[in-house]
């Protein structure tokens, strides 16, 4: 099977509020979200026979099954890195498409703000795998230790090759905050910014500012996947998986792909784009809105280039003044606010928001949003989805 | 300007494992070496167990000319570790051998660094048991 188009549908979604302190454990948030996503679908934990988690998630499958009273699991899998959200949905789609399970729950729970930082300020060798050691040995002793710094190294080269000024990156965070300000669930509800706020934002690692980076959050999300046939009997309008793919290339590293001929693009995302558009049988012009990985704002224009929404080196122009990427524009971006304007749970909110758009329940609803693209994992191993309202 | 260390807070010591041992042994002798495939001659860095071109496990630690050029660089205005005093710059240097490595520039202000600037390696003894390769502008 090389094509899973129309073999799976997302039938239930749920998300907690984004906050700086959930005052709950991650396992609690996971269970809360799974229960709500199943309610949304019209299912119960007894129906669930598959789980897909993010590798680093604190809620292990056995803790979830025991907590939720799920006694009949025939499939459990996981995905890693920032590429996980779309890839987890793909894994669930593959699971129901092959029949190894019928109702698969995908979940992600992060106490990113209250419990721990995303990037530990110091990692000790005792905690690292051989693969991580090979990478960190050559970065950490030089003070190259934050994900902001790792990303900035790639962005500087991108600016150099395409003649970009770093001020121009301000439109993506501005638009994400505009969209997040409409969303009562967001950390930035009713707190939009204007472009000048970005210019005043503190330099963290030159050439990038604080507002180029995600907002740490405590939050959880879950979604339920089943076959299109089973979806017909459930409560919600099914959202079909029309395209799903992951990609890893030669010398792909998580945010430090510095050792290949060109570093001024996101070739993994380009490959994901080719595959999901081919699988779905649609083109970039057909997509009504996009939920791109905005953990690092300057990677958004690079994703627009790689996914074929504009030519290489033109992504920043595409975002200029925000008119094309804000609600009402030709390609609204991250309509719930994304990682910059809603909160950072490694991109799971982007998948949930794509489902909401197709259902017509977004707080920044795009008219007739029948086809939505999700991209996960910019700057490393990548994955993506094209979701649609019609099979 | 060079990296300023806060000696109260030791910086991360590169963990030596079998795959990168030859590199750090070279650095400790003040010699920059990279892995080179004994079968096909392809240089590689960071070190890996196998040649990605011909898949040979046979390798040598071959001396670099120590010369290269800045490929990209960043300046940390906030330090992620108390041992490094911000601001400081981290550069990605492309060596004459074609490999790239992450390091710091010495004796230069951040605003004077530019992409393409020719550089050469110097060795800095940071602490007991820790020597690092750093780069200085040439000419």
């Amino acid at each position: 099977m090389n094509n899973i188009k129309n073999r799976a549908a997302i039938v239930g979604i749920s998300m907690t509020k984004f906050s700086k302190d959930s005052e709950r454990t991650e396992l609690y948030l996971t269970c809360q979200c799974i229960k709500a996503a199943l309610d949304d679908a019209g299912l119960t934990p007894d129906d669930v026979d598959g789980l897909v988690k993010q590798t680093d998630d604190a809620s292990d499958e056995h803790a979830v099954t025991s907590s939720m009273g799920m006694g009949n699991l025939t499939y459990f899998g996981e995905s890693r890195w920032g590429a996980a959200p779309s890839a987890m949905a793909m894994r669930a789609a593959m699971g129901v498409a092959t029949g190894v399970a019928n109702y698969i729950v995908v979940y992600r729970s992060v106490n990113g703000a209250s419990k721990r930082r995303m990037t530990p300020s110091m990692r000790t060798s005792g905690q690292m795998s051989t693969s991580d050691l090979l990478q960190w040995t050559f970065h950490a002793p030089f003070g190259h230790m934050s994900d902001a710094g790792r990303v900035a190294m790639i962005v500087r080269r991108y600016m150099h090759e395409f003649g970009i000024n770093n001020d121009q990156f301000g439109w993506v965070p501005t638009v994400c905050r505009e969209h997040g300000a409409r969303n009562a669930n967001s950390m930035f509800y009713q707190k939009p910014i204007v472009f000048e706020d970005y210019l005043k934002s503190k330099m963290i690692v030159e050439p990038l500012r604080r507002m180029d980076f995600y907002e740490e959050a405590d939050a959880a999300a879950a979604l339920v996947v089943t076959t299109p046939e089973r979806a017909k009997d459930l409560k919600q309008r099914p959202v079909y998986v029309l395209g799903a793919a992951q990609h890893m290339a030669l010398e792909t590293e998580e945010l430090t792909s510095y050792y290949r001929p060109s570093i001024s693009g996101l070739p993994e995302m380009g490959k994901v784009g080719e595959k999901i558009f081919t699988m779905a049988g649609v083109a970039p012009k057909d997509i009504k809105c996009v939920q791109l990985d905005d953990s690092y704002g300057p990677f958004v224009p690079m994703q627009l280039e790689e996914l074929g929404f504009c030519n290489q080196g033109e992504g920043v122009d595409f975002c200029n003044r925000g008119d094309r990427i804000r609600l009402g524009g030709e390609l609204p971006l991250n309509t719930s606010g994304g990682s910059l304007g809603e909160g950072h749970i490694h991109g799971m909110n982007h998948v949930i928001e794509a489902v909401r758009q197709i259902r017509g329940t977004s707080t920044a609803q795009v008219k007739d949003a029948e086809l939505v693209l999700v991209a996960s994992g910019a700057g490393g191993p990548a994955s993506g989805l094209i979701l649609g309202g019609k099979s | 300007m060079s990296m300023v260390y806060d000696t109260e807070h030791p910086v991360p010591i590169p963990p030596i494992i079998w795959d990168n041992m030859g590199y750090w042994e070279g650095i400790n002798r003040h010699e920059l070496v990279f892995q080179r495939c004994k079968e096909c001659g392809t240089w590689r860095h960071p070190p890996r167990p196998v040649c990605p071109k011909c898949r040979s496990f046979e390798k040598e630690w071959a001396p670099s000319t120590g010369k290269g050029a800045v490929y990209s660089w960043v300046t940390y205005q906030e330090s992620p570790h108390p041992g490094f005093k911000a601001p400081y710059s981290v550069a990605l240097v492309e060596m004459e051998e074609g490999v790239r490595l992450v390091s710091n520039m010495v004796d230069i202000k951040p605003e004077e660094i530019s992409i393409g600037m020719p550089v050469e390696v110097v060795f800095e003894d940071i602490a007991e048991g820790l020597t690092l390769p750093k780069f200085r502008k040439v000419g």
Side-chain angles (χ1 to χ4, degrees), chain A residues 71-127:
Chain A
N72 185 31
L73 227 60
T74 59
Y75 175 71
F76 29 98
E78 58 184 39
S79 293
R80 266 196 84 182
W81 299 295
S86 295
M88 286 192 286
M90 180 182 96
R91 239 162 222 36
M94 291 163 66
V96 298
T98 55
V100 297
N102 296 328
Y103 299 99
I104 301 180
V105 172
V106 176
Y107 62 91
R108 179 74 174 121
S109 176
V110 195
N111 275 343
S114 64
K115 189 180 153 194
R116 59 183 172 84
R117 293 193 59 81
M118 296 295 100
T119 306
S121 56
M122 178 157 55
R123 293 170 66 162
T124 60
S125 60
Q127 296 171 324

Side-chain angles (χ1 to χ4, degrees), chain A residues 106-153:
Chain A
V106 176
Y107 62 91
R108 179 74 174 121
S109 176
V110 195
N111 275 343
S114 64
K115 189 180 153 194
R116 59 183 172 84
R117 293 193 59 81
M118 296 295 100
T119 306
S121 56
M122 178 157 55
R123 293 170 66 162
T124 60
S125 60
Q127 296 171 324
M128 282 194 259
S129 67
T130 302
S131 316
D132 284 345
L133 276 172
L134 279 171
Q135 187 194 53
W136 273 75
T137 298
F138 296 99
H139 298 166
F142 304 95
H144 199 42
M145 295 182 73
S146 69
D147 54 356
R150 291 184 245 167
V151 167
M153 189 73 86

Side-chain angles (χ1 to χ4, degrees), chain A residues 143 153 156 202 206 258 260, chain B residues 72-73 75 77 88 100:
Chain A
M153 189 73 86
R156 170 88 72 186
K202 191 169 184 289
E206 284 177 46
Y258 299 158
R260 52 191 178 191
Chain B
S72 188
W73 93 101
T75 303
Q77 295 293 350
Y88 61 89
R100 297 190 195 125

Side-chain angles (χ1 to χ4, degrees), chain A residues 120-123 125 128 130-131 133-157 160-161 202-207 250-251 253 257-264, chain B residues 3 5 10-17 19-20 23-24 45-49 52 70-78 80-82 84 88-92 94 99-104 110 115-116 130 132-134:
Chain A
S121 56
M122 178 157 55
R123 293 170 66 162
S125 60
M128 282 194 259
T130 302
S131 316
L133 276 172
L134 279 171
Q135 187 194 53
W136 273 75
T137 298
F138 296 99
H139 298 166
F142 304 95
H144 199 42
M145 295 182 73
S146 69
D147 54 356
R150 291 184 245 167
V151 167
M153 189 73 86
I154 288 170
V155 174
R156 170 88 72 186
R157 186 73 200 184
H160 172 78
E161 292 190 11
K202 191 169 184 289
M203 281 287 177
I204 301 289
V205 184
E206 284 177 46
L250 199 59
E251 300 284 6
E253 290 191 4
S257 304
Y258 299 158
Y259 306 104
R260 52 191 178 191
S262 170
I263 69 166
S264 57
Chain B
M3 173 76 92
Y5 296 94
V11 301
I13 303 279
I16 310 296
I17 59 174
D19 295 303
N20 67 25
Y23 179 83
W24 290 108
H45 184 78
R48 303 268 189 258
V70 173
Y71 190 77
S72 188
W73 93 101
V74 301
T75 303
Y76 281 71
Q77 295 293 350
E78 288 183 3
H81 185 287
F84 304 106
Y88 61 89
S89 294
V90 178
L92 180 63
E94 185 164 275
V99 300
R100 297 190 195 125
L101 77 163
V102 168
S103 181
N104 306 120
I115 288 179
L130 178 62
L132 293 176
K134 304 243 170 154

Side-chain angles (χ1 to χ4, degrees), chain A residues 158 277 284-285 292 299-320 324-325 330-331:
Chain A
Y158 174 69
F277 280 117
K285 65 174 172 41
L292 304 183
F299 281 168
V300 167
M302 293 167 81
Q303 286 170 82
L304 290 168
E305 297 168 16
E306 294 287 357
L307 293 166
F309 292 103
C310 60
N311 293 323
Q312 206 188 6
E314 295 177 358
V316 166
D317 281 343
F318 192 96
C319 299
N320 191 37
R324 298 167 85 174
I325 56 171
E330 69 191 77
L331 191 71

Side-chain angles (χ1 to χ4, degrees), chain A residues 1 12 31 59 82 91 121 164 190 203 262 272 294 335 364 367 389:
Chain A
M1 192 187 304
C31 294
S59 309
R91 239 162 222 36
S121 56
I164 294 160
Q190 297 178 336
M203 281 287 177
S262 170
V272 164
D294 61 336
T335 43
K367 191 167 175 288

